[in-house]
Amino acid sequence: MDLTVTDLTVTRGGIPVLDGVIFTLPAGRAIILRGPNGIGKTTLLRAVAGLQPPLAGRVAGVEDTIAYAGHSDGIKPTLTVTENLAFWASVFGAGGIDAALSAYALEPLAHRPAGALSAGQKRRLGLSRLVVTGRPVWVLDEPTVSLDRDAVGMFADAVRAHLRQGGSALIATHIDLGLEGEVLDLTPFRARPQPVGSDEESFF
């Protein structure tokens, strides 16, 4: 099923930041979100993923289909790399973890506690969770933070493999990942500043 966003308005701190956002993300495709810092990319992704309610509009085709990766790596520092992936595989009822370890070259780190990993290694582990979820729609907020060039290539390859298998990806990123997909500039959807209401004027 396609992910469809219709006339979505999202807020940050109760103030609309994006208004009337509309797009369709088909299976096997990627959409790359662009726009200046602060425009609301993270807010939009959280709304699409169901982590915060939109002010208006509709997101369809998402029930039990989305795997979200935000700024937090979502790993347990006292567990090993293997134990972290096994935990997430059990949460999502997915299969083994070998594909996730391989996709991000984590085999040499398999038995190392996650808390002892470098920032880049932690990010690779966090992103590898997507592979074990078995969910078709990946919603990703600046996924390449802390990754070196080789790890960025691993991530791009993992997304390509996901798309070939019929999955889809909605990605906010400032870098060119070399992925085939639509670029959606959010600038035209920037919400207009809210006028001062009559209630505030009544105090003067």
Side-chain angles (χ1 to χ4, degrees):
M1 179 182 294
D2 295 347
L3 168 67
T4 303
V5 170
T6 306
D7 295 329
L8 206 67
T9 299
V10 296
T11 63
R12 184 170 56 236
I15 300 173
V17 290
L18 293 171
D19 182 42
V21 179
I22 181 170
F23 64 84
T24 297
L25 176 61
R29 301 293 294 172
I31 291 179
I32 311 299
L33 299 180
R34 298 280 197 228
N37 289 334
I39 196 171
K41 295 186 291 293
T42 294
T43 305
L44 174 62
L45 292 176
R46 288 179 55 82
V48 169
L51 299 176
Q52 69 179 68
L55 182 64
R58 184 168 180 260
V59 181
V62 298
E63 186 174 356
D64 295 329
T65 65
I66 286 181
Y68 174 79
H71 295 163
S72 171
D73 293 322
I75 59 178
K76 297 182 179 296
T78 59
L79 299 183
T80 66
V81 168
T82 295
E83 289 168 341
N84 268 279
L85 288 173
F87 169 78
W88 284 107
S90 68
V91 167
F92 287 95
I97 64 172
D98 290 347
L101 289 169
S102 177
Y104 288 92
L106 292 169
E107 295 97 336
L109 306 171
H111 302 295
R112 185 176 299 182
L117 301 177
S118 70
Q121 290 167 342
K122 288 176 181 177
R123 192 60 172 168
R124 281 157 53 197
L125 175 56
L127 290 171
S128 71
R129 292 182 299 124
L130 297 166
V131 179
V132 305
T133 65
R135 294 199 164 183
V137 182
W138 291 359
V139 175
L140 312 173
D141 190 7
E142 297 293 347
T144 59
V145 171
S146 299
L147 296 183
D148 60 22
R149 184 174 61 181
D150 289 342
V152 169
M154 294 175 196
F155 167 72
D157 287 343
V159 174
R160 291 189 191 98
H162 180 63
L163 300 181
R164 286 195 300 268
Q165 294 165 5
S168 59
L170 179 64
I171 309 172
T173 180
H174 291 288
I175 70 172
D176 183 3
L177 296 170
L179 298 173
E180 292 186 8
E182 175 187 351
V183 174
L184 177 60
D185 184 0
L186 294 178
T187 304
F189 301 107
R190 192 196 299 266
R192 295 181 178 179
Q194 297 296 297
V196 177
S198 57
D199 289 343
E200 293 184 33
E201 295 171 349
S202 66
F203 285 98
F204 296 93

